[in-house]
């Protein structure tokens, strides 16, 4: 009876194999990181009216190392908000007429752009949801389309905006002329700005942008991002019809992931795009608004506010998917700050810390939607703020990912190295505590760790524990921990 014997052997061996949890950091770097960030739409229009102490605190929470330490900020170049029903989502435009601008407009957006610059955020993107109303098909900032023949005028406007800020020391280095070009976000009255740009029109938008930057000698200092498609499946289907015509004028191919792709679909998108356009990197420039579990099950576009570790780890899993599975160099979350709490903090003090189905997971920091009438200027930090801080603080531009290899390498674990330090970001999405034994390819001496869990917000802990020639990293249930190692010495 050979068969039953073999089965007995396998079942007794499996638990032993599963308990090993050992892996190594590869000596060969993968991608070099470019930035971790998020967008300035549309909260600046509200937060600008908060007391200055709060605006300064918020700026530190977003842009300073003591806060998220973001290395990317996306400034929304307004199209005037014509046709947009929600005033918070109707940013002013500098555009008056061709070549005539009113630089006093959009004081709210400009304030936080300047705060980002002042606090040293190295990558600043100017992105637009629509051309100024005067240039679109319906004379509005949403519900219409790009008009053939306006590429030069639109590009000139955006290049003038970029040049204006650069002259003030706000070094915008990326520009994105069409955010989610597949939708007009109409009909009017619309919930936000938007302008449909057909795939066949996208080369004109890119060429207009490039030529205008070129006329100012800015093509080597300001890169063009395109096309910010809503999702990977749509993006991948459309590239062939426009991208080859302007490939050399695009700095990076950027996408959103509102289809919440499986690992298999994301990998397919990456390999197809790399095969067709090997000279270009792709990156993630917008995501929000999902419920779901720490291991990623149940994710998908949906309403609902969840300020707990459950949702914070689900979103951390999306960052790992883009940076580890897809090996992309840059990641931007969507609006950073939101009023979509779904409840009233003054009526119910537990509102900001309790999940509800009326709000939205579109921010890391929240504020009272009724602040203008009730004068509640408090800001509320969601657990996702603390998990995103691991990426903002430890995945810095110029550092490199080193793959973690071995049979127990985990898709939620990432090694980041600069010349002097290894950062191991490790997430345990399960309830049970585990431990990972990690081996390094060269010198490494544990220094300290930071952990975010149900009860800890980026809490400082002692470092990993030496275990022979390896290091033992304790991974508490449902947590994200970063273990830091000095690369300049062994110990
Ligand atoms: C992908 O984007 C397209 C264009 O905006 C949209 O029609 C489609 O519904 C999206 N698909 C998913 C799964 O989000
Ligand atoms: C900033 O806001 C956070 C969140 O509300 C709060 O915990 C912190 O005390 C504030 N800091 C300052 C300096 O006001």
């Amino acid at each position: 009876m050979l068969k039953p014997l073999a089965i007995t052997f396998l079942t007794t061996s499996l638990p032993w194999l599963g308990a090993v949890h050992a892996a190594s950091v590869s000596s060969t770097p993968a991608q070099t990181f470019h930035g971790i960030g998020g967008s300035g739409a549309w909260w600046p229009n509200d937060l600008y009216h908060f007391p200055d102490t709060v605006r300064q605190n918020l700026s530190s929470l977003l842009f300073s190392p003591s806060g998220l330490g973001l290395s990317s900020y996306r400034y929304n170049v307004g199209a005037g908000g014509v046709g947009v029903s929600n005033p918070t989502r109707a940013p002013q435009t500098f555009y008056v007429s061709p070549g005539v601008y009113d630089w006093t407009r959009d004081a709210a957006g400009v304030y936080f752009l300047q705060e980002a610059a002042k606090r040293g955020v190295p990558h600043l993107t100017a992105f637009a949801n629509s051309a100024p109303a005067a240039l679109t098909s319906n004379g509005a900032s949403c519900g219409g389309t790009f008009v053939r023949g306006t590429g030069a005028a639109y590009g000139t406007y955006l290049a003038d905006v970029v040049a204006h800020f650069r002259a003030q020391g706000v070094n915008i280095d990326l520009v994105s002329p069409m955010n989610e070009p597949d939708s007009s976000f109409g009909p009017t009255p619309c919930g936000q700005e938007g302008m449909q740009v057909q795939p066949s029109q996208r080369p004109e938008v890119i060429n207009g942008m490039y030529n205008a930057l070129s006329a100012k000698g800015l093509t080597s200092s300001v890169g063009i991002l395109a096309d910010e498609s809503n999702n990977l499946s749509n993006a991948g289907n459309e590239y062939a019809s426009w991208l080859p015509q302007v490939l050399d004028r695009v700095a990076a191919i950027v996408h959103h992931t509102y289809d919440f792709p499986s690992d298999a679909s994301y990998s397919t998108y990456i390999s197809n795009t790399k095969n067709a356009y090997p000279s270009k990197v792709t990156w993630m420039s917008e995501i929000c608004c999902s419920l779901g579990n720490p291991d990623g099950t149940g994710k998908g576009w949906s309403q609902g506010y969840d300020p707990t570790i459950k949702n914070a780890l689900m979103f951390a899993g999306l960052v790992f998917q883009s940076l580890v599975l897809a090996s992309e160099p840059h990641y931007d979350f969507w609006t950073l700050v939101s009023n979509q709490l779904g409840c009233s903090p003054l009526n119910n003090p537990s509102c900001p810390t309790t999940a509800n189905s009326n709000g939205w997971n579109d921010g890391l920091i929240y504020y009272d939607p009724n602040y203008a009438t009730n004068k509640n200027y408090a800001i509320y930090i969601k657990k996702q703020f603390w998990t995103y801080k691991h990426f903002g603080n430890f995945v810095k531009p110029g550092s490199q990912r080193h793959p973690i290899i071995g049979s127990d390498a985990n898709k939620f674990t990432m090694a980041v190295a600069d010349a002097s330090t290894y950062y191991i970001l490790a997430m345990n999405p399960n309830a049970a505590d585990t431990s990972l034994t990690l081996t390094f390819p060269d010198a490494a001496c544990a220094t300290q760790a930071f952990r975010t869990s149900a009860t800890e917000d980026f809490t400082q802990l002692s470092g990993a524990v030496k275990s022979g020639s390896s290091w033992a990293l304790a991974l508490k249930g449902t947590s994200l921990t970063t273990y830091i190692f000095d690369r300049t010495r062994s110990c």
Side-chain angles (χ1 to χ4, degrees):
M1 297 293 284
L2 266 172
K3 213 174 164 190
L5 268 178
I7 287 166
T8 308
F9 171 77
L10 275 175
T11 45
T12 52
S13 335
L14 279 172
W16 179 83
L17 284 170
V20 175
H21 286 297
S24 316
V25 176
S26 169
S27 60
T28 310
Q31 81 268 37
T32 299
F33 288 112
H34 183 271
I36 299 289
S39 292
W42 295 278
W43 54 270
N45 297 323
D46 285 334
L47 268 298
Y48 184 61
H49 302 292
F50 280 44
D52 196 50
T53 49
V54 181
R55 302 191 302 189
Q56 286 297 309
N57 188 23
L58 181 68
S59 301
S60 297
L61 288 168
L62 296 175
F63 306 128
S64 298
S66 60
L68 290 174
L70 296 182
S71 47
S72 160
Y73 180 62
R74 289 164 51 86
Y75 165 67
N76 181 204
V77 183
V82 180
V84 176
S85 56
N86 178 343
T88 299
R89 297 184 175 189
Q92 296 169 358
T93 181
F94 305 116
Y95 186 89
V96 177
S97 59
V100 180
Y101 306 110
D102 180 351
W103 299 117
T104 67
R105 291 186 187 164
D106 194 27
V110 171
Y111 176 89
F112 289 101
L113 171 63
Q114 286 172 336
E115 289 301 314
K118 240 195 286 182
R119 289 161 202 268
V121 175
H123 295 297
L124 301 173
T125 299
F127 83 95
N129 290 313
S130 169
L135 297 180
T136 69
S137 65
N138 62 344
S141 316
C142 64
T145 66
F146 173 76
V147 178
R148 281 183 206 279
T150 62
Y154 183 34
T156 297
Y157 162 64
L158 287 177
D160 284 344
V161 170
V162 169
H164 166 78
F165 285 111
R166 288 180 63 90
Q168 300 185 344
V170 174
N171 287 321
I172 293 173
D173 62 343
L174 295 163
V175 63
S176 171
M178 44 183 167
N179 190 60
E180 299 200 348
D182 279 296
S183 176
S184 74
F185 289 88
T188 53
C190 319
Q192 67 163 87
E193 293 188 338
M195 172 179 72
Q196 191 170 17
V197 187
Q198 298 290 351
S200 63
Q201 296 176 314
R202 291 175 203 171
E204 187 188 339
V205 172
I206 305 288
N207 284 328
M209 188 74 252
Y210 187 88
N211 292 337
L213 290 172
S214 180
K216 296 180 182 303
L218 284 175
T219 51
S220 59
S221 33
V222 181
I224 300 173
L225 304 180
D227 62 358
E228 303 229 35
S229 276
N230 172 283
N231 57 68
L232 296 187
S233 48
N234 198 58
N237 290 337
E238 290 181 345
Y239 288 157
S241 65
W242 66 271
L243 184 53
Q245 299 168 54
V246 287
L247 188 66
D248 58 345
R249 298 182 158 197
V250 169
I253 304 168
V254 304
H255 59 76
H256 304 173
T257 46
Y258 286 109
D259 47 355
F260 293 88
S262 66
D263 287 354
S265 321
Y266 210 141
S267 299
T268 301
Y269 165 84
I270 293 292
S271 63
N272 289 347
T273 309
K274 271 204 192 324
N275 282 339
Y277 316 106
S279 62
K280 296 296 161 181
V281 292
T282 67
W283 77 56
M284 234 300 300
S285 55
E286 189 186 312
I287 192 65
C288 73
C289 308
S290 175
L291 296 170
N293 301 307
D295 66 1
T297 54
K299 69 185 178 185
W301 169 261
S302 97
Q303 189 169 4
Y305 170 74
D306 180 356
T308 71
I309 190 71
K310 180 173 142 182
N311 192 253
L313 293 184
M314 189 286 301
F315 272 112
L318 298 187
V319 185
F320 280 115
Q321 187 190 38
S322 291
L323 303 186
V324 179
L325 176 90
S327 218
E328 292 183 324
H330 185 116
Y331 194 95
D332 287 308
F333 185 70
W334 179 218
T335 65
L336 296 174
V337 186
S338 165
N339 61 9
Q340 299 294 313
L341 278 168
C343 53
S344 172
L346 291 191
N347 297 339
N348 170 12
S350 69
C351 145
T353 52
T354 312
N356 71 63
S357 56
N358 296 324
W360 288 87
N361 286 318
D362 59 352
L364 308 175
I365 300 175
Y366 285 70
Y367 61 96
D368 192 329
N370 298 315
Y371 77 91
T373 46
N374 67 17
K375 309 290 176 214
N376 175 17
Y377 298 119
I379 50 176
Y380 304 100
I381 293 181
K382 201 183 178 190
K383 190 64 85 172
Q384 189 191 351
F385 172 92
W386 299 108
T387 48
Y388 205 51
K389 180 172 163 75
H390 288 254
F391 298 97
N393 278 214
F394 302 130
V395 183
K396 288 298 185 188
S399 65
Q400 293 179 310
R401 184 172 69 85
H402 283 245
I404 294 183
I405 51 180
S407 55
D408 285 327
N410 180 310
K411 68 181 186 177
F412 297 136
T413 305
M414 176 166 81
V416 178
D418 59 27
S420 61
T421 311
Y422 279 115
Y423 303 94
I424 309 296
L425 286 74
M427 172 167 122
N428 178 359
N430 304 311
D433 297 353
T434 60
S435 174
L436 172 69
T437 303
L438 199 60
T439 309
F440 289 86
D442 45 26
C445 182
T447 57
Q448 56 182 336
F450 293 87
R451 185 164 66 203
T452 299
S453 66
T455 54
E456 295 157 308
D457 295 333
F458 205 81
T459 300
Q460 188 177 336
L461 307 168
S462 52
V465 176
K466 185 115 205 211
S467 164
S469 57
S470 304
W471 292 91
L473 284 60
L475 302 180
K476 180 175 161 170
T478 48
S479 73
L480 174 62
T481 312
T482 301
Y483 282 97
I484 303 178
F485 295 85
D486 183 349
R487 276 189 90 174
T488 65
R489 64 193 170 101
S490 301
C491 59

